[in-house]
Amino acid sequence: MLQAVDRRPKKVILKSACVNGFVELENLREKASRALFVENMALTDLLNLNRLANREARQALAPVIFETYLHGYVMKGILDAIDRTKEALSEPLNELSPEKLEEALEAQEQAELEAIELYSKECRELGESFLKDIFCAIAKDEESHHKLVTQMK
């Protein structure tokens, strides 16, 4: 669930279930940028190590390389989400008719239900892993989105 709480020029503070409270987007951008830098450095070192490794060591490194790539893409996703959220909040306001608003909320509710089903299924089926944790966290977040949309109706 993502709600705009305070909007001032160049400073957006959100209340979000995914960050468990309030977050100032530029502060989050700094943290994600630092984390992305660290992940890129780690990945460079891992790939260099992989080039020197024998077959057994490469098999041991493969999951770490995969997860390090994944960590970097999560940070890139956070940075992209910050930019897109700021763009969305700066769009001009439009008044929807009650019928169009109801239609839009129905469509969003259906999308949230489909997302809950998808992520919950993967959460149940994946073995204990970092990926399972991601799918479970997203399923929980989608449930909070569904609750918000339902309340808006």
Side-chain angles (χ1 to χ4, degrees):
M1 175 174 79
L2 204 56
Q3 296 175 299
V5 174
D6 184 11
R7 186 168 169 238
R8 295 179 224 146
K10 298 188 181 187
K11 185 173 185 178
V12 178
I13 299 173
L14 300 175
K15 182 172 195 251
S16 171
C18 71
V19 294
N20 194 24
F22 293 92
V23 63
E24 197 273 308
L25 289 185
E26 288 310 310
N27 188 8
L28 181 58
R29 179 189 304 282
E30 290 175 24
K31 291 177 182 184
S33 294
R34 278 194 308 261
L36 178 58
F37 176 80
V38 168
E39 292 299 333
N40 285 335
M41 296 297 292
L43 184 60
T44 298
D45 291 344
L46 281 166
L47 294 174
N48 286 335
L49 180 58
N50 187 63
R51 287 183 195 97
L52 302 172
N54 62 24
R55 183 179 309 273
E56 186 178 327
R58 283 184 172 197
Q59 288 177 342
L61 288 172
V64 180
I65 291 170
F66 173 81
E67 290 173 356
T68 304
Y69 270 117
L70 186 58
H71 300 165
Y73 277 100
V74 168
M75 294 305 114
K76 287 177 186 177
I78 290 170
L79 294 169
D80 188 47
I82 290 167
D83 292 339
R84 290 175 182 252
T85 299
K86 285 184 155 189
E87 286 173 20
L89 292 174
S90 68
E91 290 179 3
L93 295 175
N94 294 311
E95 293 295 323
L96 289 179
S97 69
E99 297 81 23
K100 290 283 187 188
L101 179 58
E102 181 67 26
E103 191 178 296
L105 287 170
E106 288 289 336
Q108 188 60 40
E109 181 179 25
Q110 186 58 41
E112 298 299 346
L113 287 171
E114 290 173 15
I116 291 167
E117 183 179 328
L118 170 74
Y119 290 113
S120 295
K121 179 181 181 283
E122 296 303 324
C123 177
R124 287 188 306 272
E125 292 179 1
L126 284 168
E128 290 301 316
S129 67
F130 176 67
L131 289 175
K132 178 184 180 88
D133 294 343
I134 290 173
F135 279 95
C136 292
I138 294 172
K140 183 178 176 184
D141 210 35
E142 294 297 345
E143 289 170 2
S144 71
H145 297 170
H146 179 260
K147 182 179 177 182
L148 174 66
V149 170
T150 302
Q151 289 171 346
M152 290 175 73
K153 287 172 67 178

